[in-house]
Amino acid sequence: TDVAREKTNVDDLLTQSNDAIALGITSKYDGTGVILGVIDTGIDFQHIAFKDKDGNSRIKRAYVYTGSGSGTEYSTITSTSPTTDDKYEDHGTHTATTAGGSSVIVNKTSNTNFTITVTDDHANATYGGMAPGADLYLAGINGLSDTYLTNALNKMVTYADAQGKPLVVSNSW
């Protein structure tokens, strides 16, 4: 995500650049007011790209499958929240950060020493997702069965309806 937003001109929308203004774009578009749902395998709910600049989770809901078609919905993400990310499955972290990851600045002082800071300065971020202002609903599934996918999507739609917000769902298997 270090060049995707620039190459697709998304940075112009996030920052309302002079180029965007010249095209008649009169507002910043960063996903604010939208719920972004991601259904995928291998999601690390603690990833820095899912935090705000104060270190709080941007994930409004998470759904984790516990087996046999059932799962647990989380309304608060803490350091003890489960993860579906492991050495075999990390695709969901990648796709969710691409779609709605926070903008971050990486300050590298050596090959082994660096700091990562979440920022609202989208144009000068080292990495960032396409919709860093969106509310996140992430569903970590353990397979592509109809039951897993349908349950996750149903949870997302129900939540979005209750919030009165539009829902965009990303599925990248």
Side-chain angles (χ1 to χ4, degrees), residues 20-98:
I21 292 169
L23 292 171
I25 297 170
T26 59
S27 298
K28 294 180 183 181
Y29 292 95
D30 70 352
T32 298
V34 174
I35 297 171
L36 173 62
V38 176
I39 304 171
D40 210 330
T41 57
I43 300 176
D44 176 4
F45 301 109
Q46 300 303 319
H47 196 283
I48 193 163
F50 306 138
K51 308 260 185 210
D52 65 20
K53 64 183 181 179
D54 296 323
N56 301 310
S57 180
R58 290 182 41 235
I59 301 170
K60 302 302 181 193
R61 290 283 189 278
Y63 191 62
V64 177
Y65 281 92
T66 56
S68 301
S70 64
T72 301
E73 184 176 43
Y74 295 86
S75 60
T76 303
I77 303 301
T78 66
S79 61
T80 59
S81 296
T83 183
T84 62
D85 184 283
D86 60 30
K87 67 180 183 177
Y88 303 107
E89 295 289 347
D90 60 3
H91 191 256
T93 302
H94 169 75
T95 60
T97 59
T98 299

Side-chain angles (χ1 to χ4, degrees), residues 14 24-25 34 57 64 78 112 128 132 139 141 143 149-150 162 170:
L14 294 175
I25 297 170
V34 174
S57 180
V64 177
T78 66
T112 58
I141 61 174
L149 300 173
T150 303
S170 171

Side-chain angles (χ1 to χ4, degrees), residues 116-173:
I116 303 173
T117 308
V118 176
T119 182
D120 290 332
D121 184 4
H122 305 302
N124 292 306
T126 310
Y127 302 101
M130 299 293 171
D135 291 342
L136 302 175
Y137 192 130
L138 306 181
I141 61 174
N142 62 0
L144 299 179
S145 80
D146 291 347
T147 300
Y148 295 162
L149 300 173
T150 303
N151 286 348
L153 183 59
N154 184 48
K155 291 283 187 182
M156 290 176 179
V157 169
T158 300
Y159 176 72
D161 285 349
Q163 299 304 305
K165 293 183 178 180
L167 171 68
V168 175
V169 179
S170 171
N171 298 282
S172 174
W173 309 306

